[in-house]
Amino acid sequence: MTIKSADLEVLATRRSQYPEGANAEFLLVGRSNVGKSSFINTLLNRKNLAHTSSRPGKTQTLNFYCVNNEFYLIDVPGYGYANVDKKTQQKFGMMIEEYLEKRTQLRRVFMLVDFRIKPTEDDLLMYNFLKYYNLPVTIIATKADKIGGSKKEKCLRQIMDTIDLVVGDDIIVFSSVTKLGREEVLKKIHAGKNCG
């Protein structure tokens, strides 16, 4: 798939603000600082479409990126960030839940985890939350370039041992530096946007 155009089209906090139409949608979830902005920029071949920040917890809305006028990538607030107060965390949770409950355009969720570390309790909660809605999930193991070749298998095993993947869900090892995994993700999107 060739990315011809990509724009941040809508910032939404409630259902009435979502884009209209039947374009397929792909949701991105992950802990704060797991590399969602870098993932978006690498995937869409753009340097600063999604703003990377050294300050986690920057995204506070559902950000709809319109790609090729064919589908949307949706970035949501990161979870597990201690400096976001409980009330705000709750608001984020409700925003995401409202989206998941009724959005028929949603084809797949890309759940980002840090390849270098064991998935956290928050990661497990998020995965189980997504499975409650019977959503297909692809785990994106980010920052793979920071792991030496001999340790890669161990890191992959650690993710698979921690998150008990449902049949049909899978893992893609990804690096925004080397672009490892980019084509695999684009193939998933291509297959997903043409069904449903």
mmCIF file of all heavy atoms in Angstrom, residues 80-106:
data_model
loop_
_atom_site.group_PDB
_atom_site.id
_atom_site.type_symbol
_atom_site.label_atom_id
_atom_site.label_comp_id
_atom_site.label_asym_id
_atom_site.label_seq_id
_atom_site.Cartn_x
_atom_site.Cartn_y
_atom_site.Cartn_z
ATOM 1 N N GLY A 80 -1.657 4.552 31.853
ATOM 2 C CA GLY A 80 -0.583 4.199 32.773
ATOM 3 C C GLY A 80 0.390 5.321 33.084
ATOM 4 O O GLY A 80 1.503 5.084 33.525
ATOM 5 N N TYR A 81 -0.032 6.555 32.844
ATOM 6 C CA TYR A 81 0.864 7.686 33.116
ATOM 7 C C TYR A 81 0.522 8.283 34.470
ATOM 8 O O TYR A 81 -0.561 8.825 34.673
ATOM 9 C CB TYR A 81 0.754 8.728 32.006
ATOM 10 C CG TYR A 81 1.668 9.908 32.193
ATOM 11 C CD1 TYR A 81 3.018 9.715 32.466
ATOM 12 C CD2 TYR A 81 1.194 11.205 32.116
ATOM 13 C CE1 TYR A 81 3.864 10.795 32.647
ATOM 14 C CE2 TYR A 81 2.036 12.295 32.288
ATOM 15 C CZ TYR A 81 3.370 12.070 32.554
ATOM 16 O OH TYR A 81 4.213 13.141 32.731
ATOM 17 N N ALA A 82 1.452 8.189 35.400
ATOM 18 C CA ALA A 82 1.194 8.542 36.807
ATOM 19 C C ALA A 82 0.829 10.010 37.006
ATOM 20 O O ALA A 82 0.081 10.349 37.922
ATOM 21 C CB ALA A 82 2.406 8.183 37.649
ATOM 22 N N ASN A 83 1.354 10.895 36.157
ATOM 23 C CA ASN A 83 1.138 12.327 36.380
ATOM 24 C C ASN A 83 -0.230 12.832 35.922
ATOM 25 O O ASN A 83 -0.545 13.996 36.073
ATOM 26 C CB ASN A 83 2.244 13.145 35.692
ATOM 27 C CG ASN A 83 3.519 13.122 36.501
ATOM 28 O OD1 ASN A 83 3.704 12.256 37.351
ATOM 29 N ND2 ASN A 83 4.400 14.062 36.238
ATOM 30 N N VAL A 84 -1.012 11.946 35.305
ATOM 31 C CA VAL A 84 -2.377 12.345 34.931
ATOM 32 C C VAL A 84 -3.284 11.970 36.099
ATOM 33 O O VAL A 84 -3.310 10.820 36.529
ATOM 34 C CB VAL A 84 -2.838 11.616 33.646
ATOM 35 C CG1 VAL A 84 -4.288 11.929 33.345
ATOM 36 C CG2 VAL A 84 -1.966 12.031 32.470
ATOM 37 N N ASP A 85 -4.018 12.945 36.612
ATOM 38 C CA ASP A 85 -4.831 12.674 37.804
ATOM 39 C C ASP A 85 -5.950 11.675 37.498
ATOM 40 O O ASP A 85 -6.327 11.464 36.358
ATOM 41 C CB ASP A 85 -5.405 13.985 38.367
ATOM 42 C CG ASP A 85 -6.354 14.659 37.381
ATOM 43 O OD1 ASP A 85 -7.506 14.204 37.279
ATOM 44 O OD2 ASP A 85 -5.940 15.623 36.711
ATOM 45 N N LYS A 86 -6.466 11.071 38.571
ATOM 46 C CA LYS A 86 -7.462 9.994 38.450
ATOM 47 C C LYS A 86 -8.706 10.426 37.669
ATOM 48 O O LYS A 86 -9.245 9.691 36.864
ATOM 49 C CB LYS A 86 -7.888 9.530 39.846
ATOM 50 C CG LYS A 86 -6.870 8.600 40.516
ATOM 51 C CD LYS A 86 -7.090 7.152 40.047
ATOM 52 C CE LYS A 86 -6.133 6.174 40.728
ATOM 53 N NZ LYS A 86 -4.802 6.154 40.180
ATOM 54 N N LYS A 87 -9.152 11.668 37.908
ATOM 55 C CA LYS A 87 -10.353 12.164 37.240
ATOM 56 C C LYS A 87 -10.132 12.232 35.726
ATOM 57 O O LYS A 87 -10.998 11.848 34.937
ATOM 58 C CB LYS A 87 -10.703 13.555 37.798
ATOM 59 C CG LYS A 87 -12.106 14.009 37.439
ATOM 60 C CD LYS A 87 -12.467 15.306 38.115
ATOM 61 C CE LYS A 87 -13.843 15.761 37.681
ATOM 62 N NZ LYS A 87 -14.186 17.079 38.206
ATOM 63 N N THR A 88 -8.960 12.707 35.326
ATOM 64 C CA THR A 88 -8.632 12.803 33.898
ATOM 65 C C THR A 88 -8.511 11.409 33.297
ATOM 66 O O THR A 88 -9.003 11.146 32.195
ATOM 67 C CB THR A 88 -7.327 13.593 33.692
ATOM 68 O OG1 THR A 88 -7.456 14.858 34.345
ATOM 69 C CG2 THR A 88 -7.030 13.833 32.227
ATOM 70 N N GLN A 89 -7.857 10.492 34.024
ATOM 71 C CA GLN A 89 -7.734 9.110 33.548
ATOM 72 C C GLN A 89 -9.115 8.498 33.318
ATOM 73 O O GLN A 89 -9.344 7.808 32.328
ATOM 74 C CB GLN A 89 -6.971 8.269 34.577
ATOM 75 C CG GLN A 89 -5.468 8.451 34.506
ATOM 76 C CD GLN A 89 -4.738 7.649 35.579
ATOM 77 O OE1 GLN A 89 -5.276 6.723 36.151
ATOM 78 N NE2 GLN A 89 -3.507 8.021 35.840
ATOM 79 N N GLN A 90 -10.020 8.776 34.239
ATOM 80 C CA GLN A 90 -11.384 8.258 34.135
ATOM 81 C C GLN A 90 -12.086 8.816 32.898
ATOM 82 O O GLN A 90 -12.768 8.106 32.167
ATOM 83 C CB GLN A 90 -12.161 8.650 35.400
ATOM 84 C CG GLN A 90 -13.270 7.698 35.742
ATOM 85 C CD GLN A 90 -13.884 8.031 37.107
ATOM 86 O OE1 GLN A 90 -13.599 9.068 37.711
ATOM 87 N NE2 GLN A 90 -14.734 7.165 37.597
ATOM 88 N N LYS A 91 -11.857 10.101 32.653
ATOM 89 C CA LYS A 91 -12.452 10.781 31.491
ATOM 90 C C LYS A 91 -11.933 10.136 30.198
ATOM 91 O O LYS A 91 -12.693 9.864 29.267
ATOM 92 C CB LYS A 91 -12.105 12.275 31.540
ATOM 93 C CG LYS A 91 -12.867 13.120 30.525
ATOM 94 C CD LYS A 91 -12.494 14.581 30.638
ATOM 95 C CE LYS A 91 -11.240 14.849 29.837
ATOM 96 N NZ LYS A 91 -10.751 16.224 29.912
ATOM 97 N N PHE A 92 -10.617 9.887 30.152
ATOM 98 C CA PHE A 92 -10.021 9.233 28.987
ATOM 99 C C PHE A 92 -10.650 7.856 28.767
ATOM 100 O O PHE A 92 -11.003 7.489 27.652
ATOM 101 C CB PHE A 92 -8.501 9.040 29.170
ATOM 102 C CG PHE A 92 -7.702 10.316 29.112
ATOM 103 C CD1 PHE A 92 -6.372 10.330 29.511
ATOM 104 C CD2 PHE A 92 -8.256 11.506 28.662
ATOM 105 C CE1 PHE A 92 -5.619 11.497 29.466
ATOM 106 C CE2 PHE A 92 -7.512 12.680 28.613
ATOM 107 C CZ PHE A 92 -6.190 12.665 29.024
ATOM 108 N N GLY A 93 -10.803 7.104 29.873
ATOM 109 C CA GLY A 93 -11.384 5.766 29.805
ATOM 110 C C GLY A 93 -12.787 5.792 29.239
ATOM 111 O O GLY A 93 -13.146 4.968 28.379
ATOM 112 N N MET A 94 -13.581 6.753 29.691
ATOM 113 C CA MET A 94 -14.962 6.871 29.213
ATOM 114 C C MET A 94 -15.017 7.274 27.737
ATOM 115 O O MET A 94 -15.865 6.807 26.982
ATOM 116 C CB MET A 94 -15.727 7.884 30.077
ATOM 117 C CG MET A 94 -16.077 7.309 31.452
ATOM 118 S SD MET A 94 -16.554 8.572 32.648
ATOM 119 C CE MET A 94 -18.142 9.049 32.023
ATOM 120 N N MET A 95 -14.080 8.134 27.335
ATOM 121 C CA MET A 95 -14.000 8.566 25.939
ATOM 122 C C MET A 95 -13.730 7.363 25.019
ATOM 123 O O MET A 95 -14.369 7.188 23.986
ATOM 124 C CB MET A 95 -12.828 9.558 25.789
ATOM 125 C CG MET A 95 -13.227 10.878 25.246
ATOM 126 S SD MET A 95 -11.964 12.173 25.337
ATOM 127 C CE MET A 95 -10.387 11.421 25.296
ATOM 128 N N ILE A 96 -12.775 6.524 25.436
ATOM 129 C CA ILE A 96 -12.401 5.354 24.640
ATOM 130 C C ILE A 96 -13.542 4.334 24.630
ATOM 131 O O ILE A 96 -13.871 3.757 23.590
ATOM 132 C CB ILE A 96 -11.087 4.737 25.170
ATOM 133 C CG1 ILE A 96 -9.932 5.738 24.960
ATOM 134 C CG2 ILE A 96 -10.768 3.420 24.473
ATOM 135 C CD1 ILE A 96 -8.688 5.451 25.759
ATOM 136 N N GLU A 97 -14.159 4.153 25.779
ATOM 137 C CA GLU A 97 -15.272 3.199 25.891
ATOM 138 C C GLU A 97 -16.438 3.613 24.998
ATOM 139 O O GLU A 97 -17.035 2.781 24.310
ATOM 140 C CB GLU A 97 -15.730 3.104 27.351
ATOM 141 C CG GLU A 97 -16.364 1.784 27.676
ATOM 142 C CD GLU A 97 -16.472 1.533 29.175
ATOM 143 O OE1 GLU A 97 -15.819 2.227 29.968
ATOM 144 O OE2 GLU A 97 -17.242 0.638 29.524
ATOM 145 N N GLU A 98 -16.739 4.901 24.993
ATOM 146 C CA GLU A 98 -17.832 5.407 24.156
ATOM 147 C C GLU A 98 -17.546 5.106 22.686
ATOM 148 O O GLU A 98 -18.429 4.715 21.926
ATOM 149 C CB GLU A 98 -18.012 6.920 24.358
ATOM 150 C CG GLU A 98 -19.167 7.477 23.538
ATOM 151 C CD GLU A 98 -19.334 8.988 23.632
ATOM 152 O OE1 GLU A 98 -18.318 9.712 23.675
ATOM 153 O OE2 GLU A 98 -20.483 9.440 23.667
ATOM 154 N N TYR A 99 -16.277 5.262 22.300
ATOM 155 C CA TYR A 99 -15.891 4.973 20.914
ATOM 156 C C TYR A 99 -16.073 3.480 20.607
ATOM 157 O O TYR A 99 -16.675 3.102 19.596
ATOM 158 C CB TYR A 99 -14.441 5.401 20.660
ATOM 159 C CG TYR A 99 -13.949 4.951 19.309
ATOM 160 C CD1 TYR A 99 -14.263 5.671 18.157
ATOM 161 C CD2 TYR A 99 -13.239 3.761 19.169
ATOM 162 C CE1 TYR A 99 -13.866 5.225 16.907
ATOM 163 C CE2 TYR A 99 -12.839 3.307 17.924
ATOM 164 C CZ TYR A 99 -13.154 4.040 16.800
ATOM 165 O OH TYR A 99 -12.773 3.587 15.552
ATOM 166 N N LEU A 100 -15.563 2.625 21.492
ATOM 167 C CA LEU A 100 -15.577 1.182 21.246
ATOM 168 C C LEU A 100 -16.996 0.606 21.193
ATOM 169 O O LEU A 100 -17.261 -0.333 20.438
ATOM 170 C CB LEU A 100 -14.780 0.441 22.331
ATOM 171 C CG LEU A 100 -13.274 0.694 22.364
ATOM 172 C CD1 LEU A 100 -12.644 -0.053 23.527
ATOM 173 C CD2 LEU A 100 -12.611 0.282 21.051
ATOM 174 N N GLU A 101 -17.886 1.172 21.999
ATOM 175 C CA GLU A 101 -19.221 0.602 22.147
ATOM 176 C C GLU A 101 -20.036 0.579 20.865
ATOM 177 O O GLU A 101 -20.742 -0.374 20.584
ATOM 178 C CB GLU A 101 -20.008 1.368 23.225
ATOM 179 C CG GLU A 101 -19.795 0.793 24.604
ATOM 180 C CD GLU A 101 -20.502 1.605 25.681
ATOM 181 O OE1 GLU A 101 -21.045 2.680 25.360
ATOM 182 O OE2 GLU A 101 -20.501 1.162 26.829
ATOM 183 N N LYS A 102 -19.947 1.642 20.062
ATOM 184 C CA LYS A 102 -20.894 1.756 18.948
ATOM 185 C C LYS A 102 -20.239 2.000 17.585
ATOM 186 O O LYS A 102 -20.922 2.276 16.625
ATOM 187 C CB LYS A 102 -21.859 2.922 19.224
ATOM 188 C CG LYS A 102 -22.665 2.758 20.502
ATOM 189 C CD LYS A 102 -24.156 2.586 20.216
ATOM 190 C CE LYS A 102 -24.922 2.124 21.436
ATOM 191 N NZ LYS A 102 -25.146 3.144 22.420
ATOM 192 N N ARG A 103 -18.930 1.931 17.512
ATOM 193 C CA ARG A 103 -18.272 2.330 16.265
ATOM 194 C C ARG A 103 -18.123 1.148 15.313
ATOM 195 O O ARG A 103 -17.175 0.370 15.410
ATOM 196 C CB ARG A 103 -16.910 2.947 16.592
ATOM 197 C CG ARG A 103 -16.345 3.800 15.470
ATOM 198 C CD ARG A 103 -17.201 5.005 15.167
ATOM 199 N NE ARG A 103 -16.580 5.878 14.167
ATOM 200 C CZ ARG A 103 -17.198 6.838 13.550
ATOM 201 N NH1 ARG A 103 -18.459 7.089 13.800
ATOM 202 N NH2 ARG A 103 -16.572 7.585 12.666
ATOM 203 N N THR A 104 -19.060 1.003 14.389
ATOM 204 C CA THR A 104 -19.049 -0.147 13.480
ATOM 205 C C THR A 104 -17.925 -0.065 12.441
ATOM 206 O O THR A 104 -17.578 -1.060 11.820
ATOM 207 C CB THR A 104 -20.399 -0.270 12.744
ATOM 208 O OG1 THR A 104 -20.687 0.972 12.089
ATOM 209 C CG2 THR A 104 -21.526 -0.597 13.709
ATOM 210 N N GLN A 105 -17.355 1.130 12.251
ATOM 211 C CA GLN A 105 -16.279 1.282 11.257
ATOM 212 C C GLN A 105 -14.948 0.701 11.746
ATOM 213 O O GLN A 105 -14.017 0.527 10.962
ATOM 214 C CB GLN A 105 -16.050 2.771 10.922
ATOM 215 C CG GLN A 105 -17.187 3.423 10.178
ATOM 216 C CD GLN A 105 -18.184 4.092 11.134
ATOM 217 O OE1 GLN A 105 -18.432 3.595 12.233
ATOM 218 N NE2 GLN A 105 -18.750 5.208 10.726
ATOM 219 N N LEU A 106 -14.857 0.411 13.052
ATOM 220 C CA LEU A 106 -13.589 -0.069 13.622
ATOM 221 C C LEU A 106 -13.294 -1.485 13.133
ATOM 222 O O LEU A 106 -14.086 -2.399 13.331
ATOM 223 C CB LEU A 106 -13.656 -0.038 15.155
ATOM 224 C CG LEU A 106 -12.405 -0.540 15.891
ATOM 225 C CD1 LEU A 106 -11.175 0.280 15.523
ATOM 226 C CD2 LEU A 106 -12.623 -0.509 17.397
#
